Structures are given as structure tokens and as C-alpha cells.
Amino acid sequence: MSTQSLPASAEERAHFRHAVVLAGFVLIVQCLISIFYIWSLGNPTPHKVHIIVASRHEGNAGYIANQLNAQTDHPVRATITTNQQWAQQQVKDNKAAGVYVFNPLDKVNDLYYATAQPSGNRDVVEQVGAKVAAKAHTTIRGHDLVPTAAHDKRGIVPFYLVLGLIIGSYLLPTMLGTLTSPRASTWGGVGWRLGVFVIFSAIAGILGAWLARDVLDALNGPFWGLAAVGAGLSLSVSTFAYGLTSLLGPAALAVNLTLFVILGNPSAGGAFGYDLLPGFMHDIGPFLPNGAATDAMRDVAYFHGTDLLRPTLVLLAWFILGLWLVYMVSINTLIGTTPDQVAEIQHEDGFGLVGQFVEHHAPHHSNDSA
């Protein structure tokens, strides 16, 4: 029975039940967001943050490093070197959070860090430097080896840019599914949807780089490098979200929210680096699109693209997984198509190739079934 033939009171009761279910779902999502964000970001605790102790004498550096590594819960992982220039390069390449240059004969020791790293890393380096200097009865002099853009004081803009791109990228296939259908019924329908995602991703990447770098002066780095990262992120997320929508229908929204909002954002290493996040979030962050893209965006903007392999592979894996979902759902949907469905399919996807596809499979059906 259609809803148009129901009495008004019965139809209103049905709408009310749907509204209650929807409100309950939204409340659950809201509570999960609060729990995971507060748990991950409310009390950042450093764990094995990499700091290099440099000194002219290896024994002096080793003495300081042993004290740092002996701290309870291992907040830092200190290594030693006698090559100060090499140690500074490690910070410039985003391989270490900071360098403490120790010279017992000097009243002022040097501390090197990178503001372009997540802000929590710099805080840890400064706290460690202050403790070491206090014990040695010296003061420290800070040096920022990798400064951020004019309007990125805390090094968090790469994460904010990724956040905006991800929201748009999973909303597009979700909304497209409500306007047309959750899954395509023809290969032509699959093709034009993927084509929309490609065009959208290219534009989103270019617009994001232009706004963050040129309009807001909030990112450094090459324009096309930033745009490429944004486009790759958008394409991987939109393709995966579409594959999930094809598989699960409206229920895919819950999975997308869980992956990209509830889990992905607080674990992305935006406000605080991975070494300051709780164990579970520390482990999953680098392998979700949010974390991989934040790392890639930060690396391109400030660290000359020195470590792009892992983020690139992660985004590629999510894109391939999305394509696989689209392909498998489409195979199961299209193989069972009969000639009686041609008019309905053509109305949905609007592609003349539907007739050719159905004719190809028509011999598998008898005249009676046709």
C-alpha cells in the first residue's frame, strides 16, 4: 500500500517513527564524536617522541639521552649524535621532533624544532629542553628550522584543509545516491558517476590549494603539489563512499561517518602528532585517508615532499577498494538484468548503451521469460 492511500493519522505516525529512529541515530553519532574527540585530543600524552641529543662529545650526549629515555612511560625516544648539521637536517626532513645541542661549557644551549610539525611536538621538545637546561644550570635558545605560513601559527592548516575536502568527498556520493539511486543499473551509469567524481576531485584539489595557499596565505609549498594531494584525497574518498553506498544503500552514511569523522579526524595527527595520541588512535591514524592526506599535505607544504610513499599508497588503497566495491556490486546488479527492465533502466541512467547490454544477455532468457 502506498503512503498516499494511508489515512493521514497513519501516515503521520509512520513519519513520526522514522523521525524517532533518525533522531536516535544522530544522538548516537553525536555521542561517539564527543567520546572519541575528548579521549584522543583532551589529554595528549607523549610517547616516544623522537628527540636527538647532539654534543661534541658522545659521552655527554649519551648521558643526557639515557636520562631522557629512563623517564616513566617513555615520553621521548632520545638518540645521540656528534654531527649537529645532520641532526638539524633530520628535523627539516620531518624525521625527528627536535634537537637539543648540549655543551657543558656554554651557559646557553640550543634547541631546534619545526613549527610546521603538529603543535604538540614542539611543546614536548620545549618541555624536554627546559628540563635538561634546568638540571645543567643553563638556559636554552630556540631555533625554528621549518616555520609555517603567515596564517598557520600552530601548523594545523594542512589538517583543516583535509577536513574540508573529506567532508565534501563523502557527501557528494551520499547526496547523489538520494537524487538518483544508491547503485547504478548500467555500466554507463557507473561510468558517468565515476566521471563526476574525477572532475569534482580535480576542481576540489585546485580550489583547496588556491584558497589555503594564495588567498588565505595559510600554506607554503608548490601549488600543484598541494592540489594533487587534495585531488587524490577527494577521489579516493568519493570513490570508496560511492562503493559503500552501492553496497549498503543509506546505511553507508553511518559507516562513512564512523570512518571519516568519528575515527578519522581525531586520529589524523592534525592538532597533535601520532606520538601524542592514545594507542588505538595512534595505530589507525596513518592508515585512514584523513591521516594519510594530512601527512602528505604537510609534507608537500613544508618538508619538500621527503616522505610521500606511505600516504600515497594509503590513498591509492582506499581508491582501489572503492573501485572493487563498485565493480562487485555492479556485476551482481547487471548480470541479472532482463529485457523487461530496459525501459526502467534507461529512465534511471539515461544511456542508450543499456539496450546493447541487454541484447547481449538476451539469449540467456527464453521467449517465455522474456
Side-chain angles (χ1 to χ4, degrees), residues 80 83 85 127 159 195 210 222 272 290:
I80 65 173
N83 189 334
Q85 286 70 31
Q127 291 171 10
F159 168 68
W210 175 66
F272 303 106
N290 312 54

Side-chain angles (χ1 to χ4, degrees), residues 13-286:
R13 286 197 296 270
H15 288 320
F16 175 74
R17 288 194 296 271
H18 294 160
V20 169
V21 172
L22 181 60
F25 168 74
V26 173
L27 284 174
I28 292 173
V29 171
Q30 180 176 309
C31 290
L32 289 175
I33 290 175
S34 299
I35 291 171
F36 278 90
Y37 278 59
I38 293 172
W39 174 54
S40 300
L41 305 178
N43 184 30
T45 303
H47 182 68
K48 292 187 177 181
V49 177
H50 186 199
I51 294 177
I52 301 174
V53 180
S55 180
R56 297 173 184 173
H57 301 286
E58 193 173 276
N60 290 333
Y63 174 75
I64 298 297
N66 288 335
Q67 286 189 326
L68 294 176
N69 290 329
Q71 296 181 82
T72 305
D73 297 329
H74 305 288
V76 301
R77 177 173 62 90
T79 59
I80 65 173
T81 184
T82 57
N83 189 334
Q84 182 179 332
Q85 286 70 31
W86 175 84
Q88 292 181 27
Q89 190 61 45
Q90 294 299 294
V91 176
K92 293 178 181 178
D93 292 341
N94 202 21
K95 303 294 185 182
V99 176
Y100 185 90
V101 179
F102 177 69
N103 188 340
L105 301 179
D106 292 339
K107 293 298 182 181
V108 179
N109 289 329
D110 293 303
L111 185 69
Y112 296 90
Y113 51 82
T115 307
Q117 290 186 1
S119 59
N121 287 14
R122 176 182 173 180
D123 295 339
V124 171
V125 172
E126 290 180 332
Q127 291 171 10
V128 168
K131 288 181 180 179
V132 173
K135 288 184 177 181
H137 304 288
T138 63
T139 59
I140 56 174
R141 178 172 49 212
H143 305 272
D144 189 359
L145 295 177
V146 189
T148 56
H151 295 96
D152 185 20
K153 297 299 185 183
R154 302 292 290 175
I156 201 172
V157 167
F159 168 68
Y160 286 147
L161 178 55
V162 166
L163 176 61
L165 288 167
I166 280 196
I167 291 175
S169 299
Y170 76 76
L171 278 182
L172 175 62
T174 301
M175 297 177 67
L176 187 61
T178 62
L179 292 176
T180 56
S181 63
R183 65 173 63 105
S185 297
T186 71
W187 290 115
V190 172
W192 73 254
R193 284 169 172 82
L194 292 177
V196 168
F197 300 150
V198 170
I199 296 172
F200 171 83
S201 299
I203 296 174
I206 292 173
L207 280 177
W210 175 66
L211 289 172
R213 178 183 181 272
D214 299 327
V215 175
L216 300 176
D217 194 18
L219 277 184
N220 297 333
F223 174 86
W224 290 110
L226 298 174
V229 173
L233 167 66
S234 182
L235 184 59
S236 65
V237 171
S238 59
T239 303
F240 173 80
Y242 169 54
L244 207 60
T245 302
S246 299
L247 179 67
L248 302 178
L253 178 60
V255 180
N256 287 329
L257 285 173
T258 300
L259 287 173
F260 303 132
V261 178
I262 296 174
L263 296 177
N265 285 338
S267 68
F272 303 106
Y274 299 128
D275 293 333
L276 278 76
L277 299 178
F280 173 68
M281 306 303 275
H282 167 276
D283 294 336
I284 67 172

Side-chain angles (χ1 to χ4, degrees), residues 308-327:
L308 290 175
L309 179 60
R310 190 261 307 161
T312 301
L313 292 178
V314 170
L315 294 180
L316 182 61
W318 284 88
F319 172 69
I320 293 174
L321 178 58
L323 284 181
W324 180 79
L325 288 173
V326 171
Y327 176 74

